[in-house]
Amino acid sequence: MRPYLLSAIVFIGIFAAAMEAQTSGTSGSTGAAAPAARSQAPSDRALPALVEGQPVERRQPEKKDDQPTFPQQTRVPYHASAPFQITTLIDTLPAPWSLAFLPDGKILLTERLPGSIRILDTTGVLSAPVAGVSALMAPDAKDIGVLDVVVDPHFAANHQIFFTFYDYINGTNSNTWVARGQLDEAKRALIGAKVIFRAQPAMPSKRLGGKTGGRIAIAPDDTLFVTTGDRSDSPPWDVAQRLDNHLGKIIHITADGAPAPDNPFLGKSGVLPEIWSYGVRSPEGLAFDPKTGRLWENEHGPRGGDELNIIAKGKNYGWPVVVHGIDYPGGAIGEGVVHRDGMEDPVYYWDPVIAPSGLAFYTGTLFPQWQGSLFVGGLGGRVLDRLAIVNDKVVAEEPLLMDLHARIRDVRVGPDGAVYVLTDSGTATVSPNTPPTSKLLKLTPK
């Protein structure tokens, strides 16, 4: 049996109830500015019709006694914005995870299984896997899974890219690695590829292959911020609160993989020097706000309590001590509270969950109505969620693409001002039977 199949079987057995919550879809309006009643797909969980000025989510939360700790922390009003049209750039992807834009207009696409990086040219032709990527897998690995990819800000001069991946070893996934290399577009090859950072412990759990994290955000000083998941089972373990490992952390490293010189725990005994902040669960999105320079992150909660956070130096984000959700069997997690002094509250949260994925601030000019917006992909929610941000607070919410009934894996704003969206035709686990029907979509004004 292939290692990833065994990992999938174990994962499903442990998290059957969780996957029902995280992968159930919702339906609705794609691009019309006027609110519309939703139709319900057979596998979807129904939501009330969108009503201008009313919260999008009005179902009972998983955590029955849940209460926000401040106004606008959850269930903000719905606000319709701009109509758009959808262009399908490619619809034959098996298990895509991320995308990045090259200066010449081409697009890099990553695939989890089999792990690869491909190049989509400006005519819509998708290349074969870039050579040199799979060579990074460990000697005892059976496969490689590629996650995020980002282009070096100085790509025009150095042709360098960074990406995250993991190895399939002994029926599960390794921890998350960060690699870099020079991209030779003409040869479709990665030159001088090497691993610059390996999260510890190398094999965090033989029972669970998910929650790998793997998002990368490049700071203005060219350092890298990287997410790692806590990889825990149910009930959750406390690794995200411990500083002797990289699980459940935001990592901050240089382009060579060394601890960034301004990290908060440098020189402290028993603490890994690459840690920037901690106490996160399953971080799926990471992006800088270009207006404020602040770093934002989203993450999967358990049953309830998906979070949107502003990540700050040395801060503790509470998992699994405090959470706006419950454990998969139904019991309380940690202290059963949603706030504790000394731990950071989420800027926003979803309960029931949407299973957030990619994260992107709108920086273009094609959609003036979307200035100040943050886009959040939704896997379980099957939604591209547009959040209006004012003074670091969410003031309005607009679910998009819901009538596609598609898991949204990633979202990026292109240099042309269009919004690019990756759909995911798989599930929380990937197998050779995952259909090659995932799409890359382009949203432009109607």
Side-chain angles (χ1 to χ4, degrees), residues 131-201:
V133 176
S134 60
L136 293 173
M137 76 171 69
D140 54 343
K142 302 299 183 183
D143 251 320
I144 186 174
V146 180
L147 300 170
D148 207 3
V149 61
V150 295
V151 174
D152 190 295
H154 310 288
F155 181 87
N158 61 24
H159 302 283
Q160 185 167 255
I161 65 171
F162 298 90
F163 61 97
T164 50
F165 74 98
Y166 53 86
D167 293 318
Y168 286 105
I169 299 177
N170 297 327
T172 190
N173 299 347
S174 74
N175 217 325
T176 302
W177 316 142
V178 182
R180 75 176 188 189
Q182 288 184 312
L183 180 66
D184 187 325
E185 294 183 55
K187 295 181 179 179
R188 297 190 185 94
L190 201 60
I191 309 301
K194 65 177 182 178
V195 178
I196 61 171
F197 172 77
R198 296 181 185 272
Q200 299 299 320

Side-chain angles (χ1 to χ4, degrees), residues 102-427:
L102 295 175
D104 60 4
K106 297 186 182 75
I107 299 175
L108 296 179
L109 293 166
T110 65
E111 295 175 326
R112 284 184 294 165
L113 182 69
S116 68
I117 299 176
R118 297 187 181 220
I119 303 174
L120 182 67
D121 70 18
T122 55
T123 67
V125 176
L126 185 65
S127 76
V130 169
V133 176
S134 60
L136 293 173
M137 76 171 69
D140 54 343
K142 302 299 183 183
D143 251 320
I144 186 174
V146 180
L147 300 170
D148 207 3
V149 61
V150 295
V151 174
D152 190 295
H154 310 288
F155 181 87
N158 61 24
H159 302 283
Q160 185 167 255
I161 65 171
F162 298 90
F163 61 97
T164 50
F165 74 98
Y166 53 86
D167 293 318
Y168 286 105
I169 299 177
N170 297 327
T172 190
N173 299 347
S174 74
N175 217 325
T176 302
W177 316 142
V178 182
R180 75 176 188 189
Q182 288 184 312
L183 180 66
D184 187 325
E185 294 183 55
K187 295 181 179 179
R188 297 190 185 94
L190 201 60
I191 309 301
K194 65 177 182 178
V195 178
I196 61 171
F197 172 77
R198 296 181 185 272
Q200 299 299 320
M203 297 299 296
S205 172
K206 289 187 177 181
R207 295 180 57 198
L208 179 59
K211 297 166 66 179
T212 51
R215 288 291 178 192
I216 306 172
I218 300 182
D221 64 357
D222 295 338
T223 58
L224 278 62
F225 287 87
V226 184
T227 66
T228 58
D230 83 323
R231 310 295 293 277
S232 69
D233 295 346
S234 175
W237 53 5
D238 67 347
V239 290
Q241 288 295 316
R242 289 168 24 203
L243 300 180
D244 60 352
N245 66 84
H246 291 123
L247 300 172
K249 309 297 192 300
I250 306 298
I251 304 303
H252 188 205
I253 56 176
T254 68
D256 295 321
D262 60 342
N263 281 355
F265 304 114
L266 292 177
K268 293 192 176 182
S269 177
V271 179
L272 296 183
E274 299 88 358
I275 296 173
W276 178 259
S277 60
Y278 60 105
V280 299
R281 182 181 182 270
S282 183
E284 300 293 327
L286 193 68
F288 280 99
D289 183 340
K291 292 183 178 180
T292 67
R294 294 186 180 90
L295 182 63
W296 293 61
E297 171 260 9
N298 63 32
E299 63 184 79
H300 290 185
R303 282 180 56 186
D306 288 346
E307 292 186 1
L308 177 67
N309 293 294
I310 296 177
I311 299 299
K313 181 177 181 178
K315 297 296 185 180
N316 180 355
Y317 290 83
W319 175 259
V321 180
V322 295
V323 61
H324 288 273
I326 58 177
D327 201 5
Y328 294 115
I333 293 177
E335 299 178 356
V337 298
V338 298
H339 172 80
R340 178 176 169 180
D341 290 345
M343 296 182 176
E344 300 301 300
D345 294 323
V347 172
Y348 195 71
Y349 69 92
W350 297 263
D351 186 3
V353 297
I354 65 167
S357 55
L359 188 70
F361 281 90
Y362 187 73
T363 55
T365 58
L366 281 183
F367 292 94
Q369 304 95 322
W370 287 355
Q371 292 295 326
S373 293
L374 176 62
F375 288 99
V376 179
L379 293 162
R382 301 175 188 258
V383 62
L384 177 64
D385 208 17
R386 186 188 67 85
L387 304 177
I389 307 295
V390 177
N391 296 326
D392 293 336
K393 301 294 183 185
V394 179
V395 299
E397 184 172 11
E398 182 183 21
L400 307 174
L401 303 182
M402 296 184 76
D403 60 354
L404 298 183
H405 310 300
R407 290 162 51 87
I408 305 301
R409 171 57 67 180
D410 200 10
V411 54
R412 301 290 170 104
V413 178
D416 57 357
V419 175
Y420 293 76
V421 177
L422 269 181
T423 71
D424 185 339
S425 58
T427 61

